[in-house]
Amino acid sequence: MNLNEDQKKAADILYGPAVILAGPGSGKTAVITERTMNLIRKHHVPGGNILVVTFTKAAADEMKRRIFATSRSDEEKCVTFGTFHSVFFKILRFAMNLDASSVISESEALKLVSRLTFESGLEIENVDVIGEIRAEIGKVKGNGGLKKDYYSSSCAPEIFRKVFAGYNEILKRNRQLDFDDMLLLTEELFKNRPEILDLWREKFEFIMIDEFQDINPLQYRLIRLIAEPRNNLFIVGDDDQSIYAFRGSDPGIMLGFEKDYPDAQRIVLKKNYRSKGSIVKAAGRLIRHNDRRFPKQIEAVREEGVPPEIRMFEDRKAEGDAITDKIREYRARGLLWSQMAIIYRTNRFAGQMTSCLSAANIPFSVKGSVQSIYSHFAVKDVLSYIMLARGDRKRETLISIMNRPKRYISRDCLPEENFSFETIKATVRKKPWLYKAVEKLEYDLAFIKRGTPLSAVIYIRKAVGYEAFLKEYACGKGLREDELLEVLDRLQDEAAEFRDFESWFEHMAKMKNELERRVDMEKGEVKDSVTVTTMHGAKGLEYDVVFLPDVNEGITPYKKAVTSEEEEQERRMFYVAVTRAAMRLHISYVKRLNGKDAVISRFIKEMLDFS
């Protein structure tokens, strides 16, 4: 391997703690693999005594591949590469005779949380919210359990307590563990069985940890236990890329490493081999606005290149059309679809973009999942009103909205699979107030039927009272009112594009089918397609061309970020997104967002600050 001086210096470290600050595109994987081979070839350390911990299986496999590609002996193939999950599961397996059936997968955990959330009275199909609740469960476990005064950040406290208790009870009943339980159980094992801890300390004489900025307090406690008393801890990471606070990651751990290990060596990998100089400089101007970080000056190895393009658009539709045009332009120049990516703050904002890509017949793949607006319960409710207005008389359709807002209509009024308003009115005739409520609903549906998609959505929100219901629902369930209303704003914007219900419903069906087709394409591992991903999902990846849409206040930084720590987390996420670009970076923002005036993100202004 051809390493620069800083990389060589890091790879040549033998003993003692060391912190390697590795900026984007600085070749940290090369340093870890080179040091691994140096330990074995130069210093004759048995491969079985080396542990390399990563945060993803893909990263572990890549390092293993690099070592095996140049290995000269079986000794090099004895190195343990793994995630925290796999390493500690191995320890538990030996000590407690566990097997794979003992561990619940993350997808199963999310399904369980989704089910329990619904059963607790929170009607949420949004994968982001379910993911937030699941991540919060992990954070609570890692911090010692659910305290009496704990206040949930993802939903109402009483709902979170129900979900948390139900989740753990089901795991216990099924004799299963999740990832967080495995760490807690390993810590308990080490405390109660010091002889087992001593065995692993003796085996793992040298420990290297990749992406150290993503570590959480429990993982850090465990790795420190195993590293004692030699403390041959070699950590590699970039505090500026610590973006997993919602999972419990704490950049303060890396920032405080040298306090825990005062004799630690520090080496900065300053050279960025990935991005053009203009992109590296813009990223540097951005991230220097964070206070809690290691000071470092990253230098580009590549030439200056074209400065990042920053454009304003009237709305998301104009923005999406312009981005698809630009993607086609790059394709015409010979760039592969797979060399381009569109990166969002969260996938809930990606719907308009995927619609534009579909309309332009541009192949795209979604890393993670784009949450269809049509799967949100509020959208389903509005569409149920419209379907009833257009003649749908299914019992289940009426049940879904008959008390949204509250009308006190009982299911007993609907004994058959199909209903008629005449039958319902005859049933409630002796209750004048209820009769009036049913009569008003019938009138509302007749009015909705006569209008356009836009007038229908506005009427349901205001005249029917659905928006007032949604505000009350948000307050009772501990959800953000503005986020639920934003869903209705997005639906209203879409409805304005169609003259009649037929063309609108046809569009909905097309979009649902397109998203399902993209999921099937992902399963088939279609190689050449534009990547649509979140900032979290983009971590560790790189593309020739990157588009960052909707860089507006309230999105980036996200409106939930109110403290200085949260703002710095948002800035680190944007920094990660910017540094995914190798050749060209396109940043855009809009003047109007969901029918309201929007403001350019402070992050764009910071990137342009040359002072």
Side-chain angles (χ1 to χ4, degrees), residues 46-47 80 92 169 201 328 330 359 391 404 418 511 594:
T80 299
L92 289 175
E169 176 58 33
R201 282 174 170 170
R328 280 172 161 169
Y330 279 119
R404 296 186 169 197
N418 295 295
M511 290 310 303
N594 299 322

Side-chain angles (χ1 to χ4, degrees), residues 402-403 405-413 421 424-442:
M402 66 186 184
N403 289 309
K406 202 71 177 173
R407 299 182 179 90
Y408 300 97
I409 302 173
S410 169
R411 292 183 180 221
D412 295 338
C413 299
F421 278 105
I424 296 175
K425 286 189 288 187
T427 304
V428 302
R429 195 173 296 277
K430 294 182 180 180
K431 299 177 180 178
W433 55 272
L434 188 53
Y435 185 91
K436 286 183 179 179
V438 174
E439 200 171 42
K440 172 67 164 55
L441 174 58
E442 189 177 18

Side-chain angles (χ1 to χ4, degrees), residues 37 57 129 210 276 316 378-379 385 462 521 524 550 584:
M37 289 188 286
K57 184 178 182 299
V129 176
D210 187 22
K276 295 284 190 178
R316 277 178 168 154
V379 172
Y385 271 106
K462 305 298 183 181
M521 284 174 64
D550 298 346
R584 291 296 308 272

Side-chain angles (χ1 to χ4, degrees), residues 123-137:
E123 190 172 356
I124 288 289
E125 287 93 357
N126 189 304
V127 292
D128 288 332
V129 176
I130 297 301
E132 287 171 11
I133 296 173
R134 166 67 189 101
E136 190 169 4
I137 289 172

Side-chain angles (χ1 to χ4, degrees), residues 49-66:
N49 293 144
I50 301 172
L51 169 64
V52 180
V53 183
T54 68
F55 279 82
T56 66
K57 184 178 182 299
D61 289 344
E62 172 61 17
M63 289 186 190
K64 192 184 298 184
R65 184 192 66 76
R66 292 196 189 190

Side-chain angles (χ1 to χ4, degrees), residues 40-206:
I40 296 170
R41 295 175 186 177
K42 290 184 181 180
H43 305 292
H44 310 293
V45 175
N49 293 144
I50 301 172
L51 169 64
V52 180
V53 183
T54 68
F55 279 82
T56 66
K57 184 178 182 299
D61 289 344
E62 172 61 17
M63 289 186 190
K64 192 184 298 184
R65 184 192 66 76
R66 292 196 189 190
I67 291 287
F68 285 7
T70 58
S71 62
R72 301 174 188 169
S73 66
D74 291 337
E75 196 63 58
E76 291 167 11
K77 297 182 180 180
C78 294
V79 177
T80 299
F81 293 93
T83 61
F84 279 99
H85 173 277
S86 64
V87 170
F88 291 120
F89 180 65
K90 181 179 180 179
I91 291 171
L92 289 175
R93 194 180 68 212
F94 279 110
M96 305 179 70
N97 199 29
L98 297 178
D99 59 32
S101 65
S102 307
V103 183
I104 187 173
S105 69
E106 191 56 30
S107 62
E108 291 171 326
L110 283 169
K111 287 178 184 176
L112 178 56
V113 169
S114 180
R115 193 189 93 203
L116 290 168
T117 300
F118 183 80
E119 291 173 357
S120 298
L122 187 59
E123 190 172 356
I124 288 289
E125 287 93 357
N126 189 304
V127 292
D128 288 332
V129 176
I130 297 301
E132 287 171 11
I133 296 173
R134 166 67 189 101
E136 190 169 4
I137 289 172
K139 281 181 70 174
V140 168
K141 286 186 178 185
N143 289 328
L146 194 60
K147 306 292 191 298
K148 286 185 179 180
D149 59 348
Y150 181 77
Y151 191 86
S152 171
S153 61
S154 57
C155 60
E158 62 273 16
I159 290 177
F160 182 78
R161 288 183 179 278
K162 283 182 184 178
V163 174
F164 185 85
Y167 176 84
N168 289 310
E169 176 58 33
I170 290 172
L171 290 189
K172 184 178 179 181
R173 189 165 64 238
N174 294 340
R175 297 182 178 181
Q176 286 183 306
L177 306 170
D178 64 10
F179 176 47
D180 309 294
D181 294 325
M182 287 171 57
L183 297 182
L184 290 167
L185 198 56
T186 305
E187 186 176 42
E188 186 180 322
L189 174 70
F190 285 165
K191 288 179 179 178
N192 296 333
R193 300 284 302 278
E195 73 278 10
I196 292 178
L197 174 57
D198 287 340
L199 285 172
W200 291 103
R201 282 174 170 170
E202 184 178 343
K203 175 174 175 57
F204 294 134
E205 184 180 356
F206 294 86

Side-chain angles (χ1 to χ4, degrees), residues 310 551-553 589-590 598-605 608:
I310 299 172
V551 186
N552 288 86
E553 287 290 316
Y589 62 101
V590 294
V599 179
I600 183 174
S601 170
R602 71 195 76 170
F603 294 161
I604 293 179
K605 296 176 181 178
L608 297 174

